[in-house]
Amino acid sequence: MNDSPSPSIRTQLEALYRADSRRVFASLVRILKDFELADDAMHEAFAAAVVDWQRDGVPDNPTAWLVSTGRFKAIDALRRQGRLKELQPEIAARVAEIAAENAARAGDEIEDDRLRLIFTCCHPEIDPRIRVPLTLREVCGLTTEEIAKAFLTTKGSMAQRIVRGKAKIREAAIPFAVPSLAELPARLDAVLSAVYLVFNEGYSASAGESPVRANLTAEAIRLGRLLYQLLPDPEVQGLLALMLLHESRREARVSAEGEIILLEDQDRATWNRDLIAEGIALVEGALRTRRFGAYTLQAAISALHAEAATAEETDWNQIVVLYSTLLRIEPSPVVELNRAVAVAMRDGPEAGVALIDAILARGELADYHLAHSARGELLRRAGRTADAIAALTRALETTQQAAEKRLLTTKIQQLGG
């Protein structure tokens, strides 16, 4: 028999890895309580599937098969290392404990291993600077380099943070469980931040050939819905609204050739009206509570874009007001940059350039390609061609995203650069 997997099996496994590998990993972490052991077991399970599925066919429940196989692979590894006698009773006890917890909750809390793992990674005993990167790495499978870019830091520095986070979970015996309903509010901010960063990496990928990663946006929205079922807090509602409103434009953001289409050039007829309607209803509900925060304000801004029939009809004055409010409650150079662009759309490009120059003069966002890209576009609109070419060239130097590189290169060439 041919030992190499058939194209069909290989394709199915590749698709399954993209869609479900982090679900398998989260379940193995819950059972084994060890990140490295779970990661090794997950990859061994996928490797075993290449052989076994070729011989026996794809099982009825591939994900369950992978989790079960991964558990047995981990036990085999522990046996080879002589650690099985030490850890097997603990693993068995943990399986029984999880089953008891799930039965006891009886629908009051949500049974989802990735959600459970997010709360573990965002536990109060873990350094706040580590919680979100750890979640992005372990729950969502982003590379350390991708996470470092999202946090505007180096790969080495980010790797150290993640290692410290996993060590803390192990040393403090932090449980792999969704907290009780009474504990949820205090634990929520870090989890919402993690979910939103997952969405952002999918919506605007920091590196790679494709500018979007639909699997990550879908996963973030799924987790957002689970959180909203678990705790219908206004900010959970606002975050879910924000993600849905952004997601409504995803198909219009990239051409058939994989090129980025900017917001003002998108075909608004292709925007997903069902997602827009759901998002607007959620953000309006959150605003009515008067207990909302940053995510709801960002969702309100996105709703104004969604409600405008054309780019020219966008209510830029209201968007500037919302960004000003957002800047007061959550000061951030990125929020300040977005407000500067909105001011430029309302008051003219030179007004926006002045605000962006002030941000860059403070040394903030010096390596943030979107700051230089926005500045270059505003300089182009102001007729300052040489300055625009310089700014766009700087943006080109600082982005790792292939489609963004192509877009910036085209803009520079159109300006004669």
Side-chain angles (χ1 to χ4, degrees), residues 224-236:
R225 291 190 188 280
L226 286 173
L227 283 167
Y228 187 49
Q229 292 172 25
L230 187 64
L231 185 68
D233 178 271
E235 270 300 83
V236 179

Side-chain angles (χ1 to χ4, degrees), residues 103-159:
R105 283 202 293 265
D108 290 336
E109 297 178 18
I110 292 175
E111 298 173 29
D112 183 273
D113 283 329
R114 281 169 296 179
L115 192 58
R116 184 179 289 116
L117 187 53
I118 284 180
F119 277 101
T120 299
C121 293
C122 296
H123 194 277
E125 290 195 39
I126 297 175
D127 186 329
R129 296 170 300 172
I130 295 175
R131 294 172 193 166
V132 173
L134 185 62
T135 300
L136 294 172
R137 179 69 191 93
E138 302 304 332
V139 179
C140 304
L142 271 66
T143 67
T144 304
E145 185 174 6
E146 289 169 335
I147 301 166
K149 290 183 185 303
F151 281 80
L152 307 178
T153 189
T154 65
K155 180 180 176 181
S157 175
M158 185 55 65

